[in-house]
Amino acid sequence: MTAAESGGSVVRRILLGSQLRRLRETRGITREAAGYSIRASESKISRMELGRVSFKARDIEDLLTLYGVADERERGALLGLAREANVAGWWHSYSDVLPGWFPTYIGLEGAASLIRIYEVQFVHGLLQTEAYAHAVVTRGMRDPEKQCAEIERRVALRLERQKVLVSERAPRFHAVLDEAALRRPYGDRSVMQGQLRHLIEISEQPNVTLQVMPFSFGGHAGETGAFTMLSFPESDLSDVVYLEQLTSALYLDKREEIAHYERVMERLHQDSPGPEESRDLLRGLLELC
């Protein structure tokens, strides 16, 4: 299964959830009442409507009946969407090393038609070399010597994610890396040299745009830190802003929130040197390594 196909199951889950919410609200039914109808809690209905859990056919059938959906074609379409939404993504086999909030992101990343990121701490995961990824993952472990197997699994997951950029339906990928992310060493000199060379090479791909925000610019629009914006080909699915935290993550999709991050991203694109100038910056940093 390709990244786009398995990522599509996450998108379908979100789309089905939003349609269930729309049907419930149109009928004026509370989440509590909806939960009662399927022998579940109000919080489960909330998670279903946000697309954060899998769907049972019986639950969907009962909710559609409660919401007054009697047309067999409409019921069949929604039940079919539920079946497609329950397809396990390729990342399911890495569940032992995935934090609970991250599978949703991987699915959305795999289904996106446009990925825009700003990164300040380190090189973004989709752009990391294996050696650099190994250094980053190792740095985050409490006891690396005892967690060798977990480190290798996490690195393998990261490398598998990167296949989305070279897939048949690869998204457009626009990255702005703060110079701090490029100067902060992970691994030894050879690791950093390899990472810089890789960035120069991958920035030449037709679907990849890479810009570097230099120290010389001073303060800039990305003052609140790293974030990711995901856009999708499905017209019913809004853009999503992903903010990763220490023990959780936020998925923002409200129009006003998206608009704010859109403005920040546009400023970062405008204020950073263009792709060719950014490659020159990378070459300069490589010479200093």
Side-chain angles (χ1 to χ4, degrees):
M1 181 178 295
T2 67
E5 288 169 339
S6 54
S9 65
V10 174
V11 168
R12 290 182 181 92
R13 203 165 65 213
I14 294 172
L15 288 173
L16 178 57
S18 67
Q19 291 188 50
L20 291 174
R21 181 179 67 245
R22 176 180 55 80
L23 289 168
R24 178 182 59 77
E25 291 176 345
T26 299
R27 287 283 176 167
I29 297 171
T30 65
R31 288 196 182 95
E32 183 179 11
Y36 181 80
S37 74
I38 62 168
R39 305 151 297 281
S41 63
E42 177 183 353
S43 62
K44 180 175 179 179
I45 295 296
S46 178
R47 291 194 300 273
M48 289 174 68
E49 292 180 350
L50 291 171
R52 293 180 182 170
V53 293
S54 58
F55 299 99
K56 294 180 180 178
R58 177 183 172 184
D59 290 343
I60 301 301
E61 289 174 347
D62 289 348
L63 287 174
L64 293 178
T65 298
L66 178 67
Y67 301 157
V69 180
D71 182 81
E72 288 302 320
R73 291 181 63 183
E74 185 176 0
R75 289 176 70 92
L78 291 170
L79 286 167
L81 192 59
R83 286 192 296 272
E84 294 171 357
N86 286 334
V87 174
W90 61 261
W91 56 88
H92 180 73
S93 60
Y94 290 94
S95 59
D96 57 318
V97 294
L98 275 173
W101 68 87
F102 203 52
T104 296
Y105 174 77
I106 297 179
L108 292 174
E109 183 182 74
S113 56
L114 171 63
I115 302 173
R116 289 172 288 175
I117 68 100
Y118 168 65
E119 188 60 76
V120 65
Q121 176 67 17
F122 37 62
V123 173
H124 189 269
L126 290 182
L127 300 174
Q128 293 177 6
T129 64
E130 182 174 357
Y132 183 93
H134 195 279
V136 170
V137 173
T138 300
R139 186 78 60 87
M141 292 296 187
R142 296 180 188 175
D143 191 349
E145 292 185 4
K146 294 182 179 179
Q147 295 174 286
C148 291
E150 182 176 351
I151 290 171
E152 295 304 322
R153 292 275 291 159
R154 289 180 182 273
V155 171
L157 169 63
R158 195 158 301 184
L159 297 178
E160 190 67 30
R161 279 174 55 206
Q162 293 178 5
K163 293 179 180 179
V164 71
L165 292 183
V166 293
S167 65
E168 185 177 341
R169 292 188 290 174
R172 287 182 294 135
F173 182 72
H174 196 154
V176 178
L177 300 180
D178 197 281
E179 186 175 343
L182 302 171
R183 286 186 175 272
R184 182 173 292 107
Y186 281 93
D188 59 22
R189 181 182 177 187
S190 65
V191 171
M192 291 303 298
Q193 288 175 333
Q195 180 61 68
L196 289 169
R197 290 192 190 97
H198 178 64
L199 290 174
I200 294 169
E201 291 172 5
I202 200 169
S203 70
E204 299 279 6
Q205 286 187 198
N207 62 312
V208 174
T209 301
L210 177 59
Q211 293 178 266
V212 176
M213 171 54 77
F215 286 150
S216 59
F217 187 83
H220 55 75
E223 59 188 0
T224 58
F227 64 96
T228 297
M229 294 190 71
L230 302 169
S231 302
F232 308 92
E234 291 83 3
S235 59
D236 292 341
L237 195 62
S238 66
D239 288 359
V240 172
V241 171
Y242 173 75
L243 303 173
E244 190 166 306
Q245 301 172 332
L246 187 61
T247 58
S248 63
L250 294 176
Y251 294 86
L252 309 179
D253 62 358
K254 292 181 179 178
R255 185 173 300 175
E256 60 273 18
E257 295 172 328
I258 297 298
H260 180 76
Y261 279 93
E262 186 79 46
R263 287 192 295 271
V264 171
M265 188 65 83
E266 288 177 358
R267 285 289 305 277
L268 287 168
H269 291 168
Q270 292 168 6
D271 294 339
S272 299
E276 190 54 53
E277 293 173 271
S278 293
R279 274 190 286 273
D280 288 340
L281 283 169
L282 290 169
R283 293 184 185 104
L285 291 172
L286 182 57
E287 290 178 359
L288 294 174
C289 257

